[in-house]
Amino acid sequence: DSGVTQTPKHLITATGQRVTLRCSPRSGDLSVYWYQQSLDQGLQFLIQYYNGEERAKGNILERFSAQQFPDLHSELNLSSLELGDSALYFCASSSGTSPGNTIYFGEGSWLTVV
Amino acid sequence: TQLLEQSPQFLSIQEGENLTVYCNSSSVFSSLQWYRQEPGEGPVLLVTVVTGGEVKKLKRLTFQFGDARKDSSLHITAAQPGDTGLYLCAGARAGNNRKLIWGLGTSLGVNP
C-alpha cells in the first residue's frame, strides 16, 4: 500500500461525457502528479501540483483539467470524452518538487469510454 | 520520439535464467530511477542512481548508471516468477528539474 488513494477504481462512460477522478496523496506529501497509461503510449505525465499550485505540465489535453485543494487532495477532470481517452489514470505523490524525489503511485483509475 | 528507449520491449524467460534490460538516451540525466509495475497496480520505485558509473544492488537486481549518465541497465540474476512485471526507467534531465522523462518499459515474464 503506497498510501496514495484513488477513486473510482473503475469507470465506464460514454463518449462526450465528463468524469472526475479523485486522489488523496500520502500523508505529508505536498506534490501530486497525474499520469495516463495506455498500451501504445506508455506512461505519460499529465500535470503536477505542489501545495495547491501548478508546478509542471506535460501532455495534458485542453479537454482535461486538474486542481489541488487546500487539503492537498487533487481532482482530474476529463471532459468531452473520446474513445482514445480510455486508459489507466494514475495519481502519484511525493514530498517535494524535485523529479529525483521518490514518487509513490496509487493503484490507478481504469477509465473505459464506450 | 522517445527520449528514453527501453529494450527489449518484451522478454519471456524461464525461472533461474539471468537477464539484462536497457534504458538508453542521447540526453544526459542528473538522476535515473527504475520502477517495477505489477498488473493492476501502480509503479513502485526500485532504485535511484545519480552518479555516472554508479552500481547499486537490490538482492538479485543490479542497476548500473552509465559513465556519461545517458543510459542505464538492470541485470537480474536467477530470475523468479515474482520478478514478472513491467520495468520502467525514468530520468530527470540535467538542467530541467521539473519533469521526469519515462521510458515505455520492458515487460518481463518469468515462467516457473
Side-chain angles (χ1 to χ4, degrees), chain B residues 19-59:
Chain B
L19 66 118
T20 302
V21 298
Y22 301 92
C23 176
N24 295 313
S25 177
S26 57
S27 298
V28 176
F29 293 94
S30 56
S31 66
L32 197 137
Q33 299 174 332
W34 283 92
Y35 288 78
R36 179 170 64 216
Q37 183 179 12
E38 298 183 22
E41 298 182 10
V44 176
L45 179 68
L46 296 173
V47 77
T48 300
V49 285
V50 296
T51 306
E54 182 177 3
V55 176
K56 280 193 175 179
K57 295 196 176 202
L58 188 65
K59 297 184 182 178

Side-chain angles (χ1 to χ4, degrees), chain B residues 40-87:
Chain B
E41 298 182 10
V44 176
L45 179 68
L46 296 173
V47 77
T48 300
V49 285
V50 296
T51 306
E54 182 177 3
V55 176
K56 280 193 175 179
K57 295 196 176 202
L58 188 65
K59 297 184 182 178
R60 294 174 295 99
L61 278 59
T62 302
F63 304 85
Q64 184 159 9
F65 202 11
D67 291 341
R69 291 184 290 136
K70 293 182 179 181
D71 51 75
S72 182
S73 63
L74 159 59
H75 180 79
I76 301 179
T77 304
Q80 298 178 1
D83 296 328
T84 292
L86 179 68
Y87 288 82

